[in-house]
Amino acid sequence: MKEENNSASKNKWSRIFRKKWFFPAVYLTIAALLLSVVVWYQNTNNQDPDAQNDSEMADDFESSEFDEDAEAVLDQQEVIGMPVENQDQAEIVTKFYDYNAEQKEQEDGLVLYNNRYYQSTGIDIAAADDETFDVVASLSGTVTEVKEDPLLGNVVVLDHGDDVVTYYASLGEVDVKADSEVEQGDKLGTAGKNLFGKDNGTHVHFELRKNDIEVNPEEYFNQPVSKLDGIKAEEVKEDAKEEEDESATEKEDAEATEEDANAVEEDTDSTEEQDGEDSEDIEVDPEQDELDNEGNEEQDEEVVDEQKNEKQEDEQDVEDKEQTDETTDSSASSASA
């Protein structure tokens, strides 16, 4: 009886194993159990007060670190502004002279002074009504120089670090002193007049420099200071290109000079050869030279003989004339007697 029950139970389990849903059901059950264990373990950690304190301290530390980085980035990304307080009333009357610009733009970058044109290394900004206006710092920095120039008027120079310098000229009044710190937008003085740009009336002359290189300020207004970092690399490339062009020009000049020297040498050789041939053709014949000398002596003797004959004839004519005169005188005496 027991054997029949065992065989029946085995058949029952074997029928269950043969069902298609059996093994997927087993897998799902095991996965549910594992997930329940993980959730229970996490809830247990959250209930630990020490773990919560550590988590809060970590969050505080990370937030303060993020704030410091954000402030540093903002300081580095200060935007370059125009050196005027009211930009709507400002007008650029003289542009930066760009060698790569079109002719019309280059003409706008020329300054006439003392009947001569000069290339502008910055921009001149004036008000539409030709009235004075406040001149402000384009960037935060340190005042490195305050001076009065006979041609440019009052001048203020600011250093902004990282080899960035701004230059303000043609100022009327100056409100800052050397070695003072200024923030972006702080008043430096007022616009005025100068001799060099007297045709522009009341204005301020503004220059932006990076690594002692004047750049076009209009291209960098409302741009971060970091955009000026690429100027040095570009300038190095331009210098390298100019050096290559100069070396190529020098090489061409040297080749041309060498060709000219060779041509002159060839001409000299050919001239010497021609002179040698001519000298060979004009060799003096001694016999012919003697004959020529003899002929010249005979001609000289003939000339002397002719001169002697002419002299004798003249003397004979004189004697004949004297005899004629005597005969005439004797005839006249006889007639008077």
Side-chain angles (χ1 to χ4, degrees), residues 127-151:
D129 53 3
D130 197 29
E131 295 293 332
T132 186
F133 53 89
D134 292 340
V135 178
V136 300
S138 177
L139 292 166
S140 301
T142 304
V143 179
T144 59
E145 187 177 10
V146 177
K147 65 179 181 178
E148 183 178 356
D149 190 276
L151 292 178

Side-chain angles (χ1 to χ4, degrees), residues 194-259:
N194 61 7
L195 293 178
F196 188 73
K198 61 180 180 179
D199 293 339
N200 293 329
T202 303
H203 69 284
V204 59
H205 178 76
F206 176 74
E207 294 183 9
L208 177 63
R209 301 173 182 175
K210 171 69 175 179
N211 298 317
D212 293 331
I213 302 171
E214 295 88 359
V215 299
N216 188 357
E218 290 188 78
E219 295 182 357
Y220 296 94
F221 284 147
N222 301 322
Q223 299 292 332
V225 182
S226 59
K227 191 174 182 182
L228 294 169
D229 295 339
I231 292 178
K232 186 175 181 180
E234 294 176 359
E235 191 68 20
V236 170
K237 290 180 181 178
E238 291 179 359
D239 293 340
K241 186 177 180 181
E242 290 178 358
E243 291 178 358
E244 291 178 358
D245 295 339
E246 290 177 358
S247 61
T249 304
E250 291 177 356
K251 186 177 181 181
E252 292 177 357
D253 294 339
E255 292 177 354
T257 303
E258 186 177 358
E259 291 178 357

